[in-house]
Amino acid sequence: MTDDPFGDEQLVELYDLDNPSGIDHDFFRALADELEATKIIDFGCGTGLLTRTLAKPGRKVIGIDPSKTMLDYARRQPGADTVTWIDGDLTAVEQSGDADLVLSSGNTMMYVSGLPAALSALRGALKPGGVISFESRNPTTRAWEQWTREATYGERDTSAGRLREWIEVIDVDQGRVVFDAHNVFDDGRDAVFRNVLYFRTVEELTTALEEAGFGGIEVRGGWRGEAVTDASRLLVFRAAGS
């Protein structure tokens, strides 16, 4: 995880518009309340749209992200002073052993290449029985096959001016999908950001969690607790630390 592909200030300002609060945020907020969590870590918090809504009296919320651009934006938003913001990746996760909940939204875990190391670090932040939850795209739906210029091209007016956008897959190799996101501004500048996502199966993610010391692993095929099928777009995980 690095500042790219989230390092362009103009595009970061559009991020929350393109990724508004929805059923995923409702899920994580409900989970935090169910656990009566008093300490939450949002790993890969991005602009902090969800993170800020988790904060309330008697609860400590920590947002961690490697993108300085996104965190700078998060720190300027209303309610930002209720969150502790930390610039960094998994090495910035304090092994405090006292968090009730660690979450990762926005398919954050798909950007993490060294998943076992990340999960081990996150387990170290949790108290015994503390919960980790995250979602990942289901590889059986082969979503990347639709990521062509023809299928994804669009134009719109934004705060940064007229924007033309599309994505193109560069390489697919055993679940590792590399694609370029094109963002062409009025002046002709094409801000191209290369993304690498890791599509992992239920079995691969379950094994990684087990190897990191998690148990009680549950996986659902959506935010409403749907059963997992080959047609499930998402895999929603919940597990408990030892």
Side-chain angles (χ1 to χ4, degrees), residues 127-237:
K127 68 182 184 181
V131 170
I132 186 172
S133 186
F134 61 90
E135 91 278 14
S136 186
R137 289 175 180 262
N138 188 357
T140 62
T141 64
R142 303 181 67 83
W144 61 83
E145 293 181 348
Q146 304 303 314
W147 296 351
T148 64
R149 177 184 171 116
E150 293 73 23
T152 62
Y153 184 89
E155 298 186 27
R156 58 174 169 156
D157 293 315
T158 73
S159 59
R162 188 71 174 174
L163 194 63
R164 294 188 290 123
E165 306 161 293
W166 69 92
I167 58 178
E168 286 183 305
V169 170
I170 304 302
D171 184 55
V172 179
D173 182 20
Q174 297 183 350
R176 181 179 182 270
V177 177
V178 182
F179 67 94
D180 284 344
H182 292 260
N183 306 269
V184 182
F185 293 89
D186 269 339
D187 61 5
R189 178 173 70 95
D190 185 1
V192 183
F193 294 104
R194 180 148 296 184
N195 295 255
V196 180
L197 293 181
Y198 295 87
F199 283 76
R200 299 178 174 100
T201 65
V202 170
E203 293 75 20
E204 289 172 327
L205 290 166
T206 298
T207 297
L209 284 164
E210 290 174 341
E211 290 179 349
F214 287 98
I217 300 170
E218 301 175 9
V219 58
R220 298 289 182 263
W223 300 113
R224 295 186 175 88
E226 299 92 333
V228 175
T229 70
D230 286 347
S232 299
R233 187 176 66 86
L234 288 177
L235 304 173
V236 181
F237 277 81

